[in-house]
Amino acid sequence: MVEPFVKAGYDTDAAAILLCEADGTALEVEEEIARMTAVLRQAGASAIAVSGSEAERLRFWSGRKNAFPAAGRISPDYYCMDGTIPRKHLARVLAGIAQMEQTYGLRCANVFHAGDGNLHPLILFDANQSGQLERAEAFGAAILALCVEVGGTITGEHGVGIEKIDSMCVQFSRAELDAFFAVKRAFDVPGLLNPDKAIPTLNRCAEFGRMRVTGGVLAHAGLPRF
């Protein structure tokens, strides 16, 4: 997807490409590159390239920095997710996303800054095709649920807003959501700031989880659900 767009020199036969950058004095950088190279070789890397100039460094990075516009060349639309996971579960989550591609019948380009565990899967779809937008949204929610399952979160930097509000019900318990509301009420007593965003109501979580709420109370609230 990326190489024809930026011509960064990437190996298009590679299953994945990992960009690493060292920072420090010349000696520190040299030592760090040597350590990284040893780790990558031990892990079975098929090829390793080290930039020899600033221009080459920028060329290597151009693929990552232009991955989103590159997606626009092969898909009419894309849906960018923002889940964060413990780094040790990266392989498991990528394998899970690959399975979801089959489940939802959509392609997904995985682009991320792996150093902090923040993933940005790009779900490729065509909104003009009936049902594809809905499948893309369901695909995205499933990715976030997997992130939570492995001990991660539903957002790393993009926030919740309205788009991910149902996924808050997957990650947080009733007690935690009540605590969020208590903090919000302390600063926004009349409820004027960002109403109905970021923090889901109990009724919304109940509807998302297909549970029944009567009079604002969830039956058998002590049972773990979320």
Side-chain angles (χ1 to χ4, degrees), residues 6-194:
V6 299
K7 297 179 173 57
Y10 295 162
D11 179 2
T12 54
D13 291 327
I17 292 177
L18 176 64
L19 294 168
C20 306
E21 191 161 74
D23 186 27
T25 66
L27 181 59
E28 289 172 333
V29 167
E30 183 180 352
E31 292 175 346
E32 192 165 87
I33 289 176
R35 291 200 306 272
M36 286 192 290
T37 299
V39 169
L40 294 171
R41 290 196 189 284
Q42 185 178 3
S46 58
I48 299 174
V50 180
S51 61
S53 66
E54 178 65 5
E56 190 173 26
R57 183 185 76 85
L58 293 175
R59 179 165 60 82
F60 285 171
W61 273 109
S62 66
R64 172 59 180 87
K65 296 182 183 300
N66 289 282
F68 284 33
R73 297 177 73 246
I74 66 170
S75 177
D77 303 282
Y78 65 79
Y79 183 27
C80 176
M81 301 311 299
D82 170 48
T84 302
I85 62 170
R87 288 170 295 182
K88 64 182 178 181
H89 292 308
L90 180 58
R92 173 181 170 185
V93 171
L94 291 180
I97 291 174
Q99 292 178 342
M100 292 176 196
E101 287 184 295
Q102 304 302 315
T103 301
Y104 295 98
L106 297 171
R107 296 172 297 169
C108 183
N110 291 292
V111 181
F112 41 81
H113 25 110
D116 60 6
N118 195 191
L119 311 185
H120 295 304
L122 302 180
I123 300 170
L124 310 179
F125 70 101
D126 184 352
N128 292 315
Q129 298 297 318
S130 177
Q132 285 204 15
L133 173 59
E134 292 75 17
R135 295 209 311 275
E137 291 177 332
F139 193 167
I143 290 175
L144 297 182
L146 178 58
C147 290
V148 173
E149 181 183 325
V150 300
T153 69
I154 63 171
T155 183
E157 56 186 350
H158 296 180
V160 174
I162 293 175
E163 177 188 356
K164 298 181 183 176
I165 197 166
D166 286 344
S167 295
M168 288 283 286
C169 303
V170 174
Q171 182 169 354
F172 297 104
S173 68
R174 165 73 190 276
E176 290 168 325
L177 294 174
D178 285 346
F180 294 158
F181 272 116
V183 172
K184 188 176 191 302
R185 282 193 298 270
F187 295 96
D188 180 26
V189 176
L192 300 177
L193 305 178
N194 287 330

